[in-house]
Amino acid sequence: MPFSRTRTGCFTCREDGYKCDEQKPFCGRCIRLQKTCKGYGVKLKWQTPHGVPQSNKAAKSKQQKAVSVSTVSSCIIPNDVNPVNRYLLNHWSTTLASMVSMVPSAQNPFLVHLTPMIPCSTALRSVLCSIAACHLAVLRQDNSLQTLATRHRLVAVSSLRRTIETESPELSLAAILMLQVSDRLFTIDSGVDHLTGAKAIISQGGIDMRNTSSASFLLSLCSYHDILASVSRGVSPVFEFDGKFPIEGIESMKELTSVLRIVGEISRMRGEGREDDAQGRAVEEALNALGQSDNTPGDVAYTVQAYKDAAFIYLNRVWRNQGSPHPSALKHARCCLTKLAFVPVTSPLVSAQVWPLWTAGCESIDEDQRQFVRDRIDAMYEARHLPSLRRIKQDIEDVWKIKDEQRSLTGVDNVDCIKAILRNRQREADIA
């Protein structure tokens, strides 16, 4: 039954004669009914493309700082995007984009390369709205936002199917890769192999996608997820990664890219059943040969070293079926966790640290090290509120239980962490 008009509810509910829950920036009723929430008597900042007037001095100072995300998004988002979707895209650009990238916001390639694509691709725009709605649903504990996320995801997939043969290959690849990111961050077990779809786009694109910086970024993003997916699935990578394109297209990521290329080789050893001594020694020598530039920034350097230690653990598991309590596994696990501890959870590099944390964490026996892993994941979750972090923590706890039981019975550990999750959970671990 309609309520009498109120003075404090949103304009939409007041016009309809319904009671408003006054949730900001959109009330629950408008979100649930997919209505355009007209606000509460003030013009919302994210709805105004031109921003708020400011002094010349303030404007000049703002321009000299890092790229203004809100300015970029408000200029690029088409005028016909409804307020709810505009708000979701704003949440993506101001909050979530910085959580998926390894680099500071001023250089964030997700904003630099994907934002200009938003007006050109319904599929990409919809998947970004879906990702934002998923995150807001976690933040607000609101199931209606999760429903909204599902709707946007269905629109993205439907649009992609319609346009994949006619749209620019870069636009289709961007949408597919963001579906992959969505699956990993928000623990969506869609059962769809997005990386195989990405390979088809690249193979059938008909153009050299390496000619543009955005194409290079997409190829590097694809390779990053492909390599880590090969680890979590226990298979060979889909792509042949030559390491020419640094991760996220950023030069400071070259050393991390080199480690990832070797991780891909280890996965290929496993996937093709080539765990012979010659191959193992060749990979071991390649890892040992990796140097470190004196110019590498601190957080990047620590992350690269953590990846190297994790790669040694992964190699010994695949090549020698060797893990803790072997001294080598314990040493690399300890060194890996020590390097990760130097990087604050607020650093963009934390977005790349789930795999080394998982790898070293699973091999840890010492209770203090295990508690560090728990505390680290909890701190990462508090900073980001990504469901994948909670699930990876539970997966590590499960692996510890399995490993402890086997060691107590046999005195040795022959448990492959990845295979344990694949067998017990019937899914891959969210390590990307």
Side-chain angles (χ1 to χ4, degrees):
M1 180 180 214
F3 290 86
S4 60
R5 293 174 183 248
T6 66
R7 295 180 181 275
T8 56
C10 77
F11 282 121
T12 304
C13 289
R14 288 162 67 179
E15 290 172 1
D16 292 349
Y18 280 86
K19 185 176 181 179
C20 179
D21 61 10
E22 301 182 31
Q23 180 176 298
K24 303 295 192 307
F26 305 113
C27 77
R29 176 176 175 271
C30 287
I31 291 176
R32 187 177 69 256
L33 299 179
Q34 287 287 285
K35 284 177 166 284
T36 298
C37 190
K38 297 180 180 179
Y40 297 88
V42 294
K43 200 165 188 176
L44 299 177
K45 291 181 181 178
W46 50 262
Q47 203 172 1
T48 306
H50 303 294
V52 180
Q54 53 184 323
S55 67
N56 291 335
K57 183 177 180 181
K60 185 176 180 180
S61 173
K62 187 173 183 180
Q63 289 174 357
Q64 290 174 342
K65 292 182 180 179
V67 175
S68 171
V69 174
S70 60
T71 301
V72 171
S73 62
S74 63
C75 291
I76 295 295
I77 298 174
N79 292 329
D80 60 352
V81 172
N82 68 52
V84 173
N85 290 352
R86 186 177 291 272
Y87 175 68
L88 294 175
L89 291 172
N90 186 71
H91 182 71
W92 152 256
S93 61
T94 59
T95 303
L96 268 175
S98 63
M99 294 183 184
V100 299
S101 178
M102 305 176 199
V103 298
S105 58
Q107 305 168 315
N108 190 324
F110 285 87
L111 294 177
V112 172
H113 299 297
L114 297 189
T115 302
M117 298 181 182
I118 290 175
C120 309
S121 172
T122 300
L124 178 61
R125 185 162 66 244
S126 297
V127 72
L128 293 181
C129 284
S130 176
I131 292 173
C134 279
H135 193 238
L136 287 167
V138 175
L139 292 174
R140 296 181 181 178
Q141 298 183 346
D142 187 340
N143 289 333
S144 66
L145 284 168
Q146 190 60 57
T147 301
L148 182 61
T150 301
R151 289 175 181 169
H152 275 296
R153 186 180 180 85
L154 292 174
V155 170
V157 173
S158 176
S159 175
L160 192 58
R161 286 173 176 167
R162 291 196 309 271
T163 62
I164 198 165
E165 293 183 358
T166 58
E167 198 171 59
S168 161
E170 287 188 24
L171 295 178
S172 297
L173 182 59
I176 289 173
L177 291 178
M178 293 315 297
L179 284 169
Q180 170 72 15
V181 171
S182 177
D183 280 8
R184 295 283 67 81
L185 295 185
F186 297 101
T187 64
I188 300 171
D189 300 316
S190 65
V192 178
D193 189 349
H194 300 298
L195 293 171
T196 297
K199 183 177 183 178
I201 290 293
I202 294 170
S203 301
Q204 301 171 12
I207 62 171
D208 184 359
M209 295 189 65
R210 305 183 184 201
N211 285 338
T212 67
S213 59
S214 59
S216 297
F217 160 69
L218 292 172
L219 287 171
S220 71
L221 181 65
C222 192
S223 297
Y224 172 76
H225 280 275
D226 180 35
I227 289 170
L228 292 186
S230 74
V231 176
S232 64
R233 297 172 182 176
V235 298
S236 296
V238 174
F239 297 91
E240 289 283 351
F241 182 46
D242 55 16
K244 290 182 179 179
F245 301 102
I247 297 302
E248 296 197 16
I250 305 299
E251 288 300 308
S252 61
M253 297 295 167
K254 275 189 173 181
E255 292 176 11
L256 183 59
T257 304
S258 297
V259 182
L260 279 168
R261 183 184 60 79
I262 296 176
V263 172
E265 283 300 309
I266 301 171
S267 288
R268 204 169 294 282
M269 284 173 57
R270 163 183 268 176
E272 297 176 0
R274 295 187 288 114
E275 299 93 344
D276 57 89
D277 278 352
Q279 181 73 11
R281 292 189 191 284
V283 173
E284 187 176 50
E285 289 175 5
L287 276 173
N288 282 320
L290 288 177
Q292 182 172 320
S293 170
D294 293 335
N295 297 324
T296 304
D299 289 354
V300 176
Y302 290 133
T303 302
V304 170
Q305 289 302 311
Y307 262 74
K308 284 182 65 176
D309 283 308
F312 274 114
I313 294 172
Y314 183 39
L315 172 63
N316 285 325
R317 175 61 71 185
V318 171
W319 177 24
R320 299 186 173 108
N321 193 26
Q322 184 185 92
S324 57
H326 191 279
S328 176
L330 295 177
K331 182 192 78 171
H332 285 299
R334 182 178 65 255
C335 291
C336 180
L337 297 179
T338 300
K339 296 299 189 300
L340 294 177
F342 283 119
V343 182
V345 293
T346 54
S347 169
L349 266 298
V350 169
S351 66
Q353 292 184 357
V354 175
W355 176 64
L357 186 60
W358 153 272
T359 304
C362 286
E363 297 297 338
S364 298
I365 296 176
D366 182 82
E367 185 54 37
D368 287 341
Q369 290 179 0
R370 289 186 172 185
Q371 191 57 48
F372 167 79
V373 173
R374 295 186 187 101
D375 293 343
R376 181 74 174 183
I377 296 176
D378 287 343
M380 291 165 66
Y381 181 81
E382 286 304 313
R384 295 163 181 259
H385 290 89
L386 298 174
S388 58
L389 293 169
R390 284 191 166 173
R391 190 157 83 167
I392 204 71
K393 181 183 177 183
Q394 185 57 56
D395 287 350
I396 293 175
E397 294 279 3
D398 289 349
V399 169
W400 285 338
K401 182 178 179 181
I402 296 169
K403 283 175 170 281
D404 290 347
E405 288 176 352
Q406 185 173 98
R407 275 194 296 270
S408 67
L409 291 173
T410 66
V412 295
D413 171 11
N414 291 320
V415 177
D416 185 308
C417 310
I418 294 298
K419 290 181 179 178
I421 295 303
L422 287 171
R423 181 175 59 252
N424 290 6
R425 298 286 189 179
Q426 300 298 306
R427 59 166 173 77
E428 58 190 278
D430 302 306
I431 59 176

